[in-house]
């Protein structure tokens, strides 16, 4: 065996280790950004969120991005408020007329961001946060606002 054969074995071994590491990193990213965080609080399906928003029983907030709103529209009765805003909490409190105990339901695309944000807002002192886990596009929790044929505003 010459020196180049040995170098080739080490190079192939490094490639395998890099692939394993990259796969592990991908799983890590998936588990921290794409998986659904459990939310222990109240949940509503999309039709009930629409009904309660129309009746004035909840404030329904669509926390997706402007690009997402443009792509699908916003559910009737929902108020668009991009969760990435630096002043998100202040704006949410304004919508709730300064009362962190007023019922507010969060909806996103597939329930991942709404569950995560619901937990964060609950930890921050909001006491009546509700998640719409099926979201606008559907998830394991249900078909979603759009596939259910619920009205949207463009």
């Amino acid at each position: 065996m010459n020196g180049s054969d040995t170098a080739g074995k080490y190079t192939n071994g490094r490639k395998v280790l890099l692939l394993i590491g990259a796969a592990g990193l991908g799983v890590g990213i998936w588990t921290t950004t794409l998986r659904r965080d459990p939310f222990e609080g109240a949940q509503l399906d999309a039709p009930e969120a629409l009904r309660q928003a129309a009746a004035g029983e909840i404030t329904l907030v669509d926390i997706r991005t402007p690009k997402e709103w443009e792509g699908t529209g916003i559910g009737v009765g929902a108020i668009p408020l991009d969760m990435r805003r630096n002043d998100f909490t202040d704006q949410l409190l304004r919508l709730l007329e300064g009362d962190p105990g007023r019922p507010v339901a969060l909806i996103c695309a597939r329930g991942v961001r709404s569950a995560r944000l619901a937990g964060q807002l609950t930890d921050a002192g909001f006491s009546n946060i509700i998640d719409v886990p099926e979201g606008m596009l559907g998830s394991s929790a249900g078909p979603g606002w759009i596939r259910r044929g619920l009205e949207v505003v463009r």
Side-chain angles (χ1 to χ4, degrees):
M1 181 179 275
N2 66 34
S4 64
D5 289 339
T6 303
K9 285 183 181 180
Y10 287 123
T11 301
N12 288 338
R14 286 186 187 131
K15 287 178 186 176
V16 169
L17 286 175
L18 285 172
L19 287 174
I20 291 170
L25 179 61
V27 168
I29 290 170
W30 179 82
T31 58
T32 58
T33 60
L34 299 179
R35 76 175 163 80
R36 185 169 165 67
D37 286 349
F39 175 63
E40 307 280 325
Q43 298 181 349
L44 295 174
D45 64 17
E48 184 60 17
L50 171 60
R51 187 199 69 72
Q52 288 189 25
E57 298 169 10
I58 62 168
T59 300
L60 178 59
V61 179
D62 186 333
I63 63 169
R64 298 176 301 151
T65 66
K67 185 175 180 180
E68 290 173 291
W69 301 328
E70 290 171 17
T72 63
I74 299 165
V76 166
I79 299 166
L81 182 60
D82 186 342
M83 70 178 282
R84 301 171 308 159
R85 288 178 58 150
N86 290 334
D87 64 344
F88 177 86
T89 304
D90 294 336
Q91 291 302 313
L92 180 59
L93 268 173
R94 186 184 61 74
L95 291 173
L96 301 176
E97 298 175 354
D99 182 0
R102 288 186 66 178
V104 60
L106 307 175
I107 190 167
C108 64
R110 298 191 183 275
V112 176
R113 290 171 286 178
S114 62
R116 185 174 297 130
L117 184 59
Q120 292 170 353
L121 290 171
T122 299
D123 291 347
F126 288 81
S127 60
N128 206 346
I129 301 292
I130 305 160
D131 184 23
V132 182
E134 65 186 279
M136 292 296 289
L137 303 178
S139 71
S140 62
W145 191 286
I146 293 170
R147 284 204 338 233
R148 285 182 183 271
L150 302 176
E151 191 175 350
V152 296
V153 177
R154 297 246 174 213

